[in-house]
Amino acid sequence: MSLKKEIGRRRTFAIISHPDAGKTTLTEKLLLYGGAIQIAGAVKSNKIKKTATSDWMEIERQRGISVATSVMGFEYNDLMINILDTPGHQDFAEDTFRTLTAVDSVIVVIDVAKGVEPQTEKLVKVCRMRKTPIIVFINKLDRPGKDAFDLLDEIEKKLELKVTPLSWPINMGQYFKGVYNIFERSLYLFEPNKQRVEEGVAFSDLANPELKQYIGNDAETLREELHLAQGVYPDFRVEQYLSGEICPVFFGSALNNFGVKELLDCFIQIAPTPIGRETEERHIDPQEEPLSGFVFKIHANMDPNHRDRIAFMRVVSGRFERNKPYHHVRLNRKLKFSNPTAFMAQKKSIVDEAFPGDIVGLYDAGNFKIGDTMTEGEILHFKGIPSFSPEQFRYVENADPLKSKQLAKGLEQLTDEGVAQLFTGRATGRKIVGTVGALQFEVIQYRLLHEYGASCRYEPITLYKTAWITSDNKAMLDDFKLRKASYLAYDKEKRDVFLADSPYALQTAQEKYPDIRFHFTSEF
Ligand code: G4P
């Protein structure tokens, strides 16, 4: 099959939500449609439960599961669909941000009763910045929840998205009758716990009195609400969805397998095929023959006898082939892979080739960092895989003087994996670990000990935020560095970082030094 055809049959996306909205359940139902799994309950939740913070083995076990479920591929109607899983736990938000760089679209799941929750807001903000096409699935209609208009209003306000409903709920909770599918102009009737594929009843004229036979007294309400909705929301236009201007919304119940097939059928019609990516050098089109790809996730092998890791590479252009030497741009070295892995449902299998939109798992003994680029020789650096300014900080100290080398190596590699960020104080030389969540400190300590034989202890540091600093005004930058010497650090790439110990310190620095730019993501 030609490269163009292979690209045309791929859809790569992520499902994002606040924990408990139903991401795992929806993923599972999609896999059932794809025939990738046979029974419900087969997809293990990738949730790291809040209660697990003190249970190391539980974290490790769950991390193991998350490798298996990191990418789930399945075929549906001759298409190759790749779902990239994202950890629900907010302490792993940065992992999720990076995964979003590797997808072409997302489905956002919202709980009808809870509405827009904080984690959803954060993740959608990242999608908005990148203009990623978004479909919204409002879940759990079998339970009482918010009124559809109020909810759409909340989505528009809190998520700053323009929406257009493609289905409309008919009542909810114990009175839930189903949805009217605006996209297909058909009626889907709800029966709880139905695991078979539901068929819609074509119903293009809602004024038809027969509507009452299907949904009783809700018929009039449906007519009124749809009439109102048509006045309020714009017509769906696929170009506007693809450019990230408007989000189609579906209603359903993942647990009851209701509304999922319609979502999938609409998704495969409208969702983007693999799109190109920007590099510092130029735009890369997926149809270019030479291979290019970037690493967006690295996962340590759970088996202590095998120290290797899996680097997840998104293929951006060309055809990836097993055993063919590729150019590792940062190391300026050729590498070839004898057992690259593809992920079909929960199974890993060796692949001979992969195409744009695919994720390949590359076994790695320490050659890869997040953001690394592979090509056929061209020097390219993909953009858009930033690190974010961490939110929690601790000094990390060596607790076993005989193992300082192991500690240095462990910290280096774990931070390459993106578990945390590492800064070094300019004045003190002390190492500072920055993370987006408290759980990471525990994960690092545990993994240093179990994977590298190194012990560390943490000491508190009063730190509000770190900001990368740059300026065209050299005199001002030098003055700043001199005066703030004890608040300066450098990151792993030796770039200058300002350590602000309070919001006030950051604000006064920004006011006093107007020519200095303070960056809160590593890409500037
Ligand atoms: P997450 O991955 O987004 O965190 O959510 P997950 O799918 O695990 O769903 C969270 C809970 O919500 C689960 O219940 C799940 O069964 C339930 N759920 C998902 N979709 C629906 C729906 O359409 N209707 C209703 N009523 N419930 C739904 P749980 O009791 O927390 O877990 P479990 O023991 O059922 O796995």
Side-chain angles (χ1 to χ4, degrees), residues 2 16 21 76 97 112 118 127 144 169 173 182 185 202 215 232 293 331 340 429 438 460:
S2 71
I16 55 176
Y76 183 72
F97 295 153
V112 68
C127 296
I182 302 169
R185 302 181 78 78
I215 57 172
V232 177
L331 299 181

Side-chain angles (χ1 to χ4, degrees), residues 247-506:
C247 308
V249 179
F250 286 88
F251 293 82
S253 167
L255 188 63
N256 290 290
N257 203 359
F258 187 79
V260 178
K261 185 167 181 295
E262 296 156 70
L263 174 73
L264 180 60
D265 286 338
C266 175
F267 172 84
I268 58 168
Q269 279 188 56
I270 66 171
T273 56
I275 48 176
R277 292 287 189 277
E278 293 303 322
T279 67
E280 283 168 22
E281 292 77 10
R282 63 186 188 84
H283 177 80
I284 307 295
D285 190 274
Q287 298 199 23
E288 292 179 26
E289 287 291 332
L291 170 102
S292 68
F294 63 88
V295 171
F296 64 95
K297 181 184 177 109
I298 294 175
H299 214 297
N301 199 325
M302 289 299 101
D303 181 349
N305 299 320
H306 296 275
R307 193 47 94 58
D308 54 1
R309 312 185 288 178
I310 301 178
F312 290 79
M313 180 175 85
R314 149 104 192 195
V315 179
V316 177
S317 68
R319 186 184 294 256
F320 173 89
E321 289 171 58
R322 180 153 90 109
N323 280 325
K324 182 171 172 179
Y326 290 112
H327 185 67
H328 186 307
V329 173
R330 183 175 55 83
L331 299 181
N332 190 20
R333 248 178 73 188
K334 289 261 182 270
L335 292 178
K336 62 179 181 182
F337 304 93
S338 54
N339 52 356
T341 304
F343 306 85
M344 286 297 286
Q346 296 127 295
K347 283 195 228 85
K348 289 190 285 182
S349 57
I350 292 178
V351 278
D352 290 319
E353 48 180 21
F355 298 91
D358 284 343
I359 310 300
V360 268
L362 306 174
Y363 284 92
D364 164 47
N367 288 316
F368 284 114
K369 268 188 187 189
I370 303 278
D372 276 346
T373 301
M374 298 299 291
T375 68
E376 294 197 16
E378 190 176 351
I379 309 294
L380 295 173
H381 299 87
F382 282 97
K383 285 192 194 171
I385 314 166
S387 299
F388 293 82
S389 171
E391 286 165 21
Q392 307 217 17
F393 303 90
R394 305 223 183 127
Y395 281 123
V396 54
E397 300 290 348
N398 187 6
D400 180 351
L402 297 176
K403 296 282 170 62
S404 59
K405 257 196 192 151
Q406 285 85 338
L407 181 73
K409 182 169 176 211
L411 280 175
E412 186 74 21
Q413 291 203 345
L414 292 181
T415 46
D416 281 354
E417 263 182 45
V419 179
Q421 289 178 54
L422 188 64
F423 303 102
T424 309
R426 269 206 188 275
T428 59
R430 291 181 81 180
K431 299 266 186 253
I432 301 164
V433 170
T435 70
V436 288
L439 190 53
Q440 255 87 347
F441 291 110
E442 297 162 16
V443 171
I444 291 169
Q445 204 166 31
Y446 179 90
R447 291 190 55 195
L448 281 172
L449 189 63
H450 287 82
E451 293 169 33
Y452 299 90
S455 307
C456 77
R457 76 188 137 72
Y458 296 114
E459 285 183 16
I461 174 171
T462 311
L463 198 49
Y464 160 66
K465 239 184 190 357
T466 53
W468 286 271
I469 48 170
T470 56
S471 181
D472 299 327
N473 182 341
K474 188 172 178 309
M476 189 181 279
L477 191 61
D478 288 346
D479 180 55
F480 181 82
K481 284 193 192 170
L482 194 67
R483 284 173 196 273
K484 301 278 179 199
S486 52
Y487 295 97
L488 286 185
Y490 47 87
D491 70 3
K492 286 175 80 178
E493 272 84 51
K494 296 270 181 291
R495 293 179 299 186
D496 289 319
V497 176
F498 172 54
L499 310 173
D501 54 9
S502 68
Y504 175 75
L506 181 62

